[in-house]
Every structure is written in C-alpha cells, then in structure tokens.
Amino acid sequence: MIEQTDISYEKTVLIGLVTQYQDEEKAQEYLDELEFLAFTAGGEVLKRFTQKLDVPNPKTFIGTGKLEEVKNYVEEHGVGVVIFDDELSPSQQKNIQRELDCKVLDRTNLILDIFAQRAQTSYARTQVELAQYQYLLPRLAGMWTHLERQRGGIGMRGPGETEIETDRRIVRDRIALLKDKLKKIDRQMDVQRGNRGSLVRVALVGYTNVGKSTLMNVISKSDVFAENKLFATLDTTVRKVVIGNLPFLLTDTVGFIRKLPTQLVESFKSTLDEVREADLLLHVVDISHPSFEHHIDSVNKILEEIGSADKPIIMVFNKIDAYEAEEIEEDDLMTEKTKAHYTLEEWRQTWMAKLNGDAIFISALNKENFNEFRKLVYDKVKEIHTTRFPYNSFLYDEYTEED
Ligand SMILES: Nc1nc2c(ncn2[C@@H]2O[C@H](COP(=O)(O)OP(=O)(O)OP(=O)(O)O)[C@@H](O)[C@H]2O)c(=O)[nH]1
Ligand SMILES: [Mg+2]
C-alpha cells in the first residue's frame, strides 16, 4: 500500500507522566504509541516531555516549572500541537491552553480525531459523531462554569445557566438522534446477519496495526484496505471463505488500543456485535512489536468487557518475518536473559504449551506457515460445524491442501 504523503505535518510535542503505576520504561512505551497515533493524525513529533509526579497537578496536569519549559520550547520551535498521553479534565485543558497558546489535545481527543478522519461509511461516521458528542457533553459544563466564574458570579448566574442548559440540551438531543439512527442501522444489520444462514462465523480480532486486514485479504483473496497506520479499519467486512470444501464467514473488525476511550467502546458496541456473535475468534498478534504481550492483555480485557472472553480462540502470531530477538554475546555474563532474548522457537513453545496447541506463528505478508494456519482454522471450524449441524456433514469430504 502506498503511504499518504500529501499531508503538511504539524509540529507536535508529547507529554507523559512517570508515576508509581507507570515507570519510565512503560511511560516511554505509551509515548511510542502516542507518537504513532500523532503520526497517523498527521503530526510530526519534535520532542517528548516526561515528568515524575505522584499525582497530576489538578490545575495544569504537569508542574508549573515543567509547563514553563514546554512553553519555551513551543515558542522557540513554532509547535502547533501539544498532546498529553492521559485524559485532561476540562479545566486542565483550558489552563494549559491559555498558558501555551497552541492546540492542546489528550489521547482521547487524538483517537477521536483519527476515527473522524477515517470513518468511511455513514454507519462509522455516526458512531464517531456519537462518541465525539459524548466526549463533549461533560466538557461543555466545565466550559460554562469557567465562563461564569469569569463573569463574576452574583447576578450573572441566570443567563449563564440558561446558556449551559440550552447547549446541553442541544448536545443531548443530538446524542439521542444519533443513537436512534444507529439503532435503525443495527436492526438492518441484524437482519443481514440473520440472512447469512447456517455458516460458522469466524472473527479476526486484535490490537490495531497487527495485520488483521492483511490476513483477511490473503485468506479470502479480497481487497480490504490495509496500511501501516493505526485504525486503518473502522468498518467490519464480512467475506465468505472456503478452505478445502468447508465454507465459513470471516469478519475483519476494528483494532483495539490501550486506554481506549470508553465513549468509543460504547459507540462501537454494535460493530463489536460481529465479535460477540462469532463462533471462533482469531486473535491476531504482532509478535515483532516489543510490547506485544501488553497488547494481548488489553485485547483480552476488551473481549471480557464485551462478554466474549470464553469463546474458542486461536492465537495467531503474525509478522514472524519481522521478529528480531535481542542478542547476548556468548562472553557476556552480565546481561540477564529476558523475554526480549527469546527466539521465535522459544516463543512458540511457550505459547503452544500455554494454549494447548491453539496457536500458530505466521507471516501474512510472506504467507509463511500459511498452510498450517489454514489447516488449524479448518480443523476448528469443522469441529464447531459438526457440533452445531450434526446432519449437515455433506459440506466436506476431507481436507485437501490447496495452492
Ligand atoms: N512485516 C510484516 N508486516 C505485515 C505483516 N502483516 C501485515 N503487515 C503490515 O502491517 C501493517 C498493518 O496491517 P493491517 O492489515 O492494516 O493491520 P490491521 O490489524 O488491519 O490494522 P487496523 O485496521 O488499523 O487495526 C501494514 O503495513 C501491513 O503491510 C507481516 O506478516 N509481516
Ligand atoms: Mg484493518
């Protein structure tokens, strides 16, 4: 896929905290991801600022000294956007914005922005718009309280409050309208799903950018949009796939991410229905990513949240072509062996043991181990199919390797 190159990059600075729950390494890992998000949204990251704090400053999130430092940098380098890794309260956002005099965003903001940029269908656009209004609603109140205080309280309360109420009502009406619209589309989609008949349903799930759409394309020989940016897929795509002579339905879904804004999980619930209604999940993992185990944890957490954690799952470790273990020199007695030094084979053994064989290591790009992958999926789907439709076994005679 050819990368987009025609966006004029906005100069961006990232800010994260080091706390008792989030050490320096973890903070940097989050910032790596935030940088990728910023890049996806069209920003060019010039610098990262981190600060050690037990609790965020209630007024300015980071300390005033640090904020001063950021301000100097912003002025000196003509920075247009400052992005915080954590959610800012409405008043923090206001205070910081006033101090820095440039755009101030938090992670939620940024993700909403990317979703808005990428939403293609009216369904996805409606879901994103709903999430945006839900993000805005509590902030609206904060904005007005802030204005009221400026106006000086006594005597001014009346008009202020009326305005908040009017604005809130407009936003609430809009939210209700969007929810209604989504419900209607949902009903249509329910009918469509119902019409798919008695085929086993398999859904690709996983962290964003792990290769779900790429895998979908190679399995189903279809043409789903895939690229090296976050959230390339916002709509679900369903394809009928035949392995051997066993047909089943395969769904590509929206990627998950850590610290996913709750509003988004909520408004994408119906997209996630595809996951909820699946008989089998293919949990795709990018094993070449240093934090892939954390990614697995966040995906599992979201699967739990939507009540889909106990479905049959095959773990698909993708991008083995790009995996590189850190090396230890033979005469190096100081470096302790950690997971970063595992070979692919060591990872394979670890996960195969953990999952009782329901794991496979592949490269969707090079089609490495692809026949084994198809065989594994075939066996699982066949197992589900025979349990579900014991008399309907004419669909397959036996598995024959293709290609
Ligand atoms: N090296 C390598 N890259 C891969 C492989 N599979 C996919 N990719 C690349 O990873 C990037 C993301 O692929 P997608 O298929 O868009 O990932 P996705 O999981 O659908 O991502 P979202 O829809 O954004 O959640 C693309 O640049 C792919 O070319 C693989 O096996 N090896
Ligand atoms: Mg995708």
Side-chain angles (χ1 to χ4, degrees):
M1 215 31 70
I2 300 162
E3 302 285 5
Q4 261 177 288
T5 46
D6 58 339
I7 0 175
S8 56
Y9 285 134
E10 212 164 351
K11 288 183 187 167
T12 305
V13 161
L14 307 182
I15 297 178
L17 286 190
V18 176
T19 64
Q20 57 190 66
Y21 307 104
Q22 189 169 303
D23 59 16
E24 178 70 35
E25 196 189 331
K26 192 102 192 206
Q28 286 304 336
E29 190 191 311
Y30 284 150
L31 288 179
D32 284 343
E33 187 171 87
L34 193 68
E35 178 161 350
F36 201 1
L37 283 165
F39 164 75
T40 301
E44 185 201 357
V45 175
L46 298 187
K47 195 174 168 61
R48 302 169 171 197
F49 290 90
T50 54
Q51 187 174 33
K52 253 201 187 99
L53 275 184
D54 283 337
V55 276
N57 183 313
K59 290 206 179 96
T60 48
F61 195 77
I62 48 175
T64 38
K66 197 64 166 183
L67 194 62
E68 194 59 35
E69 203 185 307
V70 176
K71 184 187 164 91
N72 289 337
Y73 188 90
V74 165
E75 279 173 3
E76 208 172 299
H77 295 85
V79 170
V81 198
V82 174
I83 307 173
F84 288 74
D85 192 43
D86 296 277
E87 202 159 306
L88 297 172
S89 75
S91 71
Q92 282 170 336
Q93 196 158 3
K94 273 249 129 62
N95 293 336
I96 299 167
Q97 202 142 6
R98 198 167 42 207
E99 189 61 27
L100 297 182
D101 199 23
C102 69
K103 266 190 271 180
V104 175
L105 303 179
D106 59 23
R107 183 183 263 253
T108 309
N109 246 186
L110 185 61
I111 295 178
L112 283 171
D113 211 57
I114 295 172
F115 272 49
Q117 265 179 30
R118 310 219 131 202
Q120 297 279 337
T121 60
S122 113
Y123 188 55
R125 274 200 297 272
T126 313
Q127 285 179 321
V128 174
E129 205 183 335
L130 176 61
Q132 284 176 319
Y133 276 119
Q134 277 167 339
Y135 179 80
L136 186 69
L137 191 60
R139 282 168 176 74
L140 212 57
M143 269 146 50
W144 281 108
T145 327
H146 174 79
L147 286 179
E148 263 176 288
R149 231 180 283 131
Q150 273 188 338
R151 281 199 207 116
I154 306 173
M156 294 305 288
R157 202 154 274 167
E161 249 167 34
T162 322
E163 279 173 84
I164 313 170
E165 280 319 311
T166 318
D167 266 30
R168 272 196 191 148
R169 191 163 42 75
I170 294 171
V171 173
R172 279 211 199 92
D173 284 353
R174 189 77 196 141
I175 288 178
L177 200 81
L178 290 168
K179 280 189 171 163
D180 239 33
K181 194 170 158 191
L182 283 179
K183 229 183 254 162
K184 269 191 205 119
I185 311 180
D186 275 347
R187 272 200 295 271
Q188 288 165 6
M189 288 171 75
D190 264 354
V191 174
Q192 280 172 13
R193 277 200 294 269
N195 285 343
R196 287 187 206 148
S198 55
L199 286 179
V200 172
R201 292 173 195 187
V202 182
L204 289 159
V205 297
Y207 213 71
T208 176
N209 207 46
V210 295
K212 298 179 294 298
S213 300
T214 309
L215 193 55
M216 173 90 173
N217 288 339
V218 278
I219 300 186
S220 68
K221 303 187 179 77
S222 61
D223 205 3
V224 178
F225 180 62
E227 69 164 342
N228 192 21
K229 290 207 174 157
L230 302 181
F231 304 114
T233 308
L234 281 189
D235 288 291
T236 54
T237 314
V238 187
R239 291 272 182 284
K240 188 169 159 188
V241 177
V242 183
I243 298 184
N245 41 13
L246 175 63
F248 59 92
L249 293 174
L250 184 67
T251 310
D252 183 20
T253 64
V254 56
F256 300 161
I257 194 163
R258 272 175 297 204
K259 303 185 186 174
L260 189 73
T262 41
Q263 301 95 335
L264 270 183
V265 180
E266 192 51 45
S267 57
F268 274 81
K269 269 220 154 78
S270 16
T271 301
L272 295 172
D273 276 349
E274 292 284 353
V275 177
R276 237 180 265 122
E277 291 180 11
D279 304 298
L280 170 66
L281 302 180
L282 304 182
H283 180 165
V284 185
V285 178
D286 174 359
I287 193 157
S288 74
H289 196 293
S291 343
F292 78 89
E293 285 190 294
H294 293 145
H295 294 174
I296 295 178
D297 292 341
S298 345
V299 170
N300 284 338
K301 207 170 129 234
I302 295 172
L303 287 178
E304 247 164 59
E305 275 169 30
I306 62 170
S308 298
D310 19 319
K311 287 182 188 296
I313 292 186
I314 297 177
M315 295 294 287
V316 182
F317 293 89
N318 188 30
K319 305 200 192 180
I320 55 170
D321 60 288
Y323 180 77
E324 273 173 49
E326 276 177 36
E327 279 179 36
I328 309 180
E329 301 285 327
E330 237 171 77
D331 54 355
D332 180 353
L333 301 174
M334 298 301 286
T335 312
E336 218 177 299
K337 184 170 170 166
T338 64
K339 283 177 169 175
H341 304 99
Y342 273 24
T343 59
L344 264 184
E345 184 50 31
E346 282 171 308
W347 276 121
R348 207 184 64 83
Q349 281 169 10
T350 312
W351 281 99
M352 288 303 259
K354 212 191 267 193
L355 298 165
N356 245 331
D358 286 337
I360 183 102
F361 285 66
I362 63 160
S363 162
L365 205 63
N366 303 341
K367 290 193 154 198
E368 243 175 292
N369 274 345
F370 212 61
N371 281 331
E372 290 84 345
F373 167 71
R374 283 159 54 98
K375 174 86 171 80
L376 188 63
V377 174
Y378 175 87
D379 286 343
K380 265 273 172 302
V381 172
K382 183 173 168 183
E383 193 182 307
I384 295 167
H385 190 98
T386 10
T387 333
R388 175 102 35 92
F389 317 110
Y391 305 110
N392 188 7
S393 53
F394 61 85
L395 284 173
Y396 46 85
D397 299 321
E398 71 188 41
Y399 179 74
T400 42
E401 214 96 303
E402 281 181 13
D403 300 346

